[in-house]
Amino acid sequence: MYSNSFSVRPLGGVFGADVTGMDLSVPPPPAVSAALSAAVSRYGLLVFRSPRASAQGIAGLMCTFGALQRTLYVDTLRNQSAEEAACARPEECIAMMTDPLASVARSHVALLHAEEAPFGGESIWCSLADAYDGISRPMRAYLDPLEVASSSRAGFPRSLVASHPLTERRHLGIGVSFEGRVLNVPAEEGDLVVRLVQNLLAAPENQIRIPWTRGMIVLWDCRLAQHYPVGGYGAPGWRLRCLSACDAVADPPAAPLRME
């Protein structure tokens, strides 16, 4: 019998919440999945400190967020095969999976499961929503109608500022790793806009820093938060699984993307 007696408690920073009592050893029932979906849309990021978990249960949870899923497995506790070694910098591969503008199939939700984590391993998440909230009203009026085109999505415009489809909360549509241009403004002006956004996201008041522990899971909404690994995931001691999901109906991919 499935136990769904879990609790969600906001973290002390600007965003994020702790989830305790969660059972992900099997796919969660629809009511639990819906509750977690609402929570991640509200808080941007959920931290599961010591859940019961299995690959089947985690995959079942991710089905809540989209039919199209991608996975990447990192294991620096053993010698990697030639195929695995093709991703020499796993943090860059994870960034490609979890940045909404980085690939053809935009990720909506991402999950990291640290099956093993080295002492001192940490990650930073910056809040795209809190960064937008900190902008003055006159500057918001200027930024709101702007569109951007990512270098990796040539010619495909996206809004610089967007509204979350569930909560309607306004948030920045690009992250610190954005490479591209702002459309319909002079290049120098567009560079200033991108620099402003990246500076806001780099501000400590818009970030949360979380140390990894063995078995910990972090689930976040890619539209509200962006992930950065402190020191990367190439150091010895990691056994890490990353999953991302997007709504294949609302945002169909132009071509399949396989990372595992």
Side-chain angles (χ1 to χ4, degrees), residues 166-190:
L166 297 181
T167 65
E168 297 186 352
R169 187 178 181 186
R170 303 285 280 171
H171 61 86
L172 296 171
I174 64 174
V176 293
S177 58
F178 173 75
E179 294 183 1
R181 68 190 192 281
V182 180
L183 302 179
N184 302 317
V185 300
E188 296 83 357
E189 187 176 320

Side-chain angles (χ1 to χ4, degrees), residues 15 43 46 58 74 78 93 117 120 137 159 167 201-202 206 236 257-258:
F15 68 112
Y43 296 109
L46 302 178
I58 291 172
V74 178
R78 60 179 176 80
C93 296
R137 289 183 180 273
S159 297
T167 65
L201 295 174
N206 295 322
L257 176 62
R258 183 175 179 82

Side-chain angles (χ1 to χ4, degrees), residues 53-77:
S54 70
Q56 180 187 21
I58 291 172
L61 169 63
M62 293 301 285
C63 287
T64 304
F65 302 103
L68 180 64
Q69 296 189 35
R70 293 169 287 169
T71 63
L72 178 67
Y73 191 61
V74 178
D75 189 347
T76 61
L77 295 174

Side-chain angles (χ1 to χ4, degrees), residues 166-243:
L166 297 181
T167 65
E168 297 186 352
R169 187 178 181 186
R170 303 285 280 171
H171 61 86
L172 296 171
I174 64 174
V176 293
S177 58
F178 173 75
E179 294 183 1
R181 68 190 192 281
V182 180
L183 302 179
N184 302 317
V185 300
E188 296 83 357
E189 187 176 320
D191 291 342
L192 289 174
V193 169
V194 172
R195 196 175 309 145
L196 169 66
V197 169
Q198 293 174 339
N199 287 341
L200 288 168
L201 295 174
E205 56 266 30
N206 295 322
Q207 296 182 345
I208 187 168
R209 188 168 184 146
I210 299 176
W212 286 97
T213 57
R214 184 175 181 267
M216 194 170 81
I217 294 173
V218 179
L219 176 75
W220 73 96
D221 191 314
C222 300
R223 296 159 293 196
L224 298 176
Q226 186 175 42
H227 166 256
Y228 173 79
V230 180
Y233 295 126
W238 286 104
R239 184 179 289 131
L240 185 77
R241 189 180 302 275
C242 178
L243 295 87

Side-chain angles (χ1 to χ4, degrees), residues 4 27 52 82 95 97 100-101 123 141 143 152 160 177 191 194 212 215 249 253:
N4 60 358
R52 297 174 57 194
M97 290 173 61
L101 282 177
S123 284
L143 297 177
S152 61
L160 176 68
S177 58
D191 291 342
V194 172
W212 286 97
V249 175

